Amino acid sequence: MTMRKFILAGIIVLTAGTAQAQCCSKNDISFTTRLGYSVGGTAPVGLPRSIRRLNSYTLMPNFQLGIDVERRFCSGIGIMSGLRFENKGMQEDARVKNYHMAFSQGSQYLEGQYTGDAKTKVNEWMFTVPVMATLHVGDKVRLKAGPYLSYVVSKQFEGCAHGGYLRVGGPTGAKISIGEGPGQRGDYDFSDDMRRFQVGLTLGCDWLFADRLGGYLDLNWGLTGIHHSGFKTIEQTLYPIFATVGVVYEL
């Protein structure tokens, strides 16, 4: 589904809700601040056979800070939007086989089918604007779902291939050993090939367990890959998929 369709869906929800505004109370607009932490990664949808196992995964400082405004209608539904500053990052080491890659070994640039370990660090700081429909279950629980648009202000995608070998050009090409140390491993940096704008979907829940204080849990699923569509050095499209847990406070 394209970004144009998401925007159109948001306009439809907003228009339908505005038509019901005459039956709402005077306190139908509320503001919520939130602070959370995200866990997840950038990964292909459906694990390919070329990725054999995950050797390690390191947590990153994936904090989320935001403020939302909700327009609630008398039927218990509403629409919510806001602004969030957040980080989506990961650091992992994976075992791959016949995985298409390109990297530099010393002063030599190599590309082909790689078998061995690959360590990657991804780090993205961004501003995110969600547009979500909401459904209130009683006075304490708020369900929410809708699209989001993010603008990435800082981006990093770099790492190294180590402890394996590369078949230059293809599976039957010349075999080059890839070592562990500087000058022997294969270093790569694809930060400049990353998108500035990302589109995705958010599904989540806010729960007030005190007068104004509560918690929240969101699943954020990217629909656009983190790299430009013309980037083919890595054979699979990598999507940002993160779950966020945190606290909310109603102003």
Side-chain angles (χ1 to χ4, degrees):
M1 189 178 289
T2 65
M3 182 168 59
R4 182 179 299 177
K5 292 181 180 179
F6 285 130
I7 296 174
L8 179 60
I11 293 174
I12 291 173
V13 171
L14 180 61
T15 302
T18 303
Q20 305 178 51
Q22 63 273 16
C23 68
C24 298
S25 67
K26 294 181 180 180
N27 299 320
D28 54 6
I29 296 179
S30 62
F31 294 87
T32 303
T33 59
R34 62 185 68 241
L35 174 65
Y37 183 81
S38 300
V39 177
T42 56
V45 177
L47 195 65
R49 295 183 61 186
S50 55
I51 301 178
R52 294 307 176 96
R53 69 171 184 266
L54 184 65
N55 297 327
S56 65
Y57 174 88
T58 303
L59 294 175
M60 301 285 286
N62 295 331
F63 293 105
Q64 182 186 86
L65 176 65
I67 184 169
D68 295 320
V69 56
E70 182 192 20
R71 178 71 160 89
R72 184 174 175 179
F73 308 121
C74 59
S75 57
I77 65 172
I79 185 168
M80 185 167 67
S81 186
L83 179 64
R84 297 170 188 175
F85 184 59
E86 59 184 343
N87 184 55
K88 293 180 179 179
M90 72 164 191
Q91 184 169 314
E92 53 83 23
D93 195 348
R95 184 73 176 180
V96 300
K97 183 176 182 179
N98 293 327
Y99 190 78
H100 184 265
M101 293 188 69
F103 46 71
S104 297
Q105 186 183 50
S107 60
Q108 187 178 18
Y109 178 80
L110 302 170
E111 184 171 359
Q113 303 301 116
Y114 173 69
T115 297
D117 295 326
K119 182 182 296 183
T120 303
K121 182 178 182 179
V122 182
N123 209 18
E124 298 179 286
W125 285 96
M126 65 191 70
F127 288 100
T128 298
V129 177
V131 179
M132 297 175 287
T134 60
L135 174 63
H136 288 259
V137 181
D139 296 328
K140 300 296 184 180
V141 177
R142 174 172 57 195
L143 306 179
K144 56 192 179 179
Y148 69 79
L149 174 66
S150 296
Y151 178 73
V152 181
V153 297
S154 176
K155 49 197 176 92
Q156 178 189 23
F157 189 103
E158 59 185 39
C160 67
H162 61 101
Y165 63 88
L166 182 81
R167 292 286 186 179
V168 179
T172 60
K175 184 177 180 180
I176 297 180
S177 295
I178 306 299
E180 295 286 350
Q184 299 176 336
R185 67 191 182 206
D187 296 311
Y188 53 87
D189 186 348
F190 303 133
S191 304
D192 291 339
D193 299 295
M194 300 174 72
R195 297 177 184 267
R196 286 289 184 185
F197 287 97
Q198 296 181 4
V199 175
L201 290 174
T202 295
L203 176 66
C205 174
D206 295 342
W207 171 51
L208 291 180
F209 49 74
D211 183 28
R212 293 181 178 271
L213 185 65
Y216 77 99
L217 176 64
D218 290 345
L219 175 63
N220 305 291
W221 193 290
L223 298 178
T224 52
I226 64 171
H227 294 105
H228 297 297
S229 57
F231 178 75
K232 302 298 182 184
T233 304
I234 296 178
E235 59 188 51
Q236 290 90 19
T237 302
L238 303 179
Y239 299 92
I241 304 171
F242 286 83
T244 305
V245 61
V247 295
V248 295
Y249 182 80
E250 286 200 346
L251 300 177

